[in-house]
Amino acid sequence: MSYSEADIAATIDHAILKPELTRADVDAELDIAAEWKVFSVCVRPSDIPHAVERLAGTGVAVGTVIGFPHGTTSTATKVAEVHQALADGAVELDMVLNIGWLRSGFGAEVEADIRAVVEAAGDHIVKVIFETAYLTDDEIVRACRLSEAAGADFVKTSTGFAGGGATLPHVTLMRASVGPEVQVKASGGVRSLDTAVAFLDAGCTRLGTSASATILGEARAIAAGAAATGAVDDSSY
């Protein structure tokens, strides 16, 4: 399948989550998101109000994380985080499920934790982060089914902070383990155009990455080269 630069940009949640980032670092990343016209940024909760203000009028949405990065905060705390994030202007929420509960076989507790966040979010998009590097295939399937049962909009591979990110086998498994109304997000290690396209071809509809400029810059360069040679339509690749 071929994708234009705009097609790919429309799938990107530009990640601005590293704990050491200064306000100047955050601003530089927000400006990259605006310049490349990505779908959204995913910022640290404390950065939401600033990101909303700086991105006003750009068309870039502001999302944030809940229970990040380990998923071990209480359900009540996650719900409180949701309320604060929405009050501050976030429009999408990427929550980490309780990984230890999932691996312990506490399916009812995991489902209830996700459902509480979904209900607190109302009409806002909720993506459930699994941290697939820690899970077996059976656990990934179970996480998919619990997330879908709880009403989540997306299942997502990784935080990017666990030493392992998205893989094609995991994305393929996740896509096969949820119904068509649940979308899949690949995050962690999405740093090149080839990787981004591979995940989109595998069924992802959203990509979490801090390498937006690299990915979209590659896409633009390929399209420009094709246009210069007249080899193909320059709108997609």
Side-chain angles (χ1 to χ4, degrees):
M1 184 179 296
S2 63
Y3 305 92
S4 69
E5 178 188 326
D7 291 337
I8 297 170
T11 72
I12 290 178
D13 295 338
H14 185 68
I16 312 175
L17 295 167
K18 292 179 180 178
E20 73 272 18
L21 295 178
T22 65
R23 176 53 59 83
D25 295 331
V26 170
D27 283 348
E29 295 299 322
L30 293 171
D31 291 347
I32 287 170
E35 176 185 353
W36 289 96
K37 298 179 174 61
V38 300
F39 180 82
S40 78
V41 293
C42 190
V43 300
R44 302 172 300 195
S46 58
D47 292 325
I48 297 169
H50 179 71
V52 169
E53 180 179 7
R54 192 171 183 92
L55 291 174
T58 66
V60 178
V62 175
T64 195
V65 286
I66 304 294
F68 194 84
H70 302 303
T72 52
T73 50
S74 69
T75 300
T77 299
K78 288 178 180 175
V79 168
E81 286 185 87
V82 170
H83 291 315
Q84 187 63 58
L86 297 180
D88 287 341
V91 297
E92 293 195 348
L93 307 166
D94 291 29
M95 70 163 291
V96 187
L97 62 69
N98 192 309
I99 301 161
W101 282 358
L102 179 73
R103 297 188 68 240
S104 298
F106 300 161
E109 291 84 351
V110 171
E111 183 178 335
D113 188 55
I114 298 168
R115 180 176 286 108
V117 169
V118 169
E119 290 177 352
D123 294 334
H124 297 276
I125 294 290
V126 174
K127 313 182 196 95
V128 181
I129 307 172
F130 294 175
E131 208 66 281
T132 50
Y134 293 149
L135 306 179
T136 65
D137 284 358
D138 286 346
E139 288 165 344
I140 291 169
V141 171
R142 193 178 313 131
C144 284
R145 292 174 179 167
L146 292 169
S147 298
E148 183 167 17
D153 301 286
F154 278 80
V155 291
K156 174 180 171 181
T157 58
S158 320
T159 64
F161 289 86
T167 69
L168 281 173
H170 284 161
V171 162
T172 301
L173 179 62
M174 291 164 67
R175 181 61 274 166
S177 300
V178 292
E181 69 282 0
V182 179
Q183 300 178 66
V184 179
K185 176 176 173 178
S187 185
V190 185
R191 300 190 183 95
S192 70
L193 178 62
D194 285 347
T195 302
V197 168
F199 283 128
L200 294 176
D201 284 346
C204 291
T205 52
R206 204 73 70 83
L207 305 172
T209 182
S210 58
S212 304
T214 298
I215 292 167
L216 296 172
E218 288 182 52
R220 184 173 295 179
I222 290 171
T229 62
V232 296
D233 182 349
D234 65 355
S235 63
S236 62
Y237 22 82

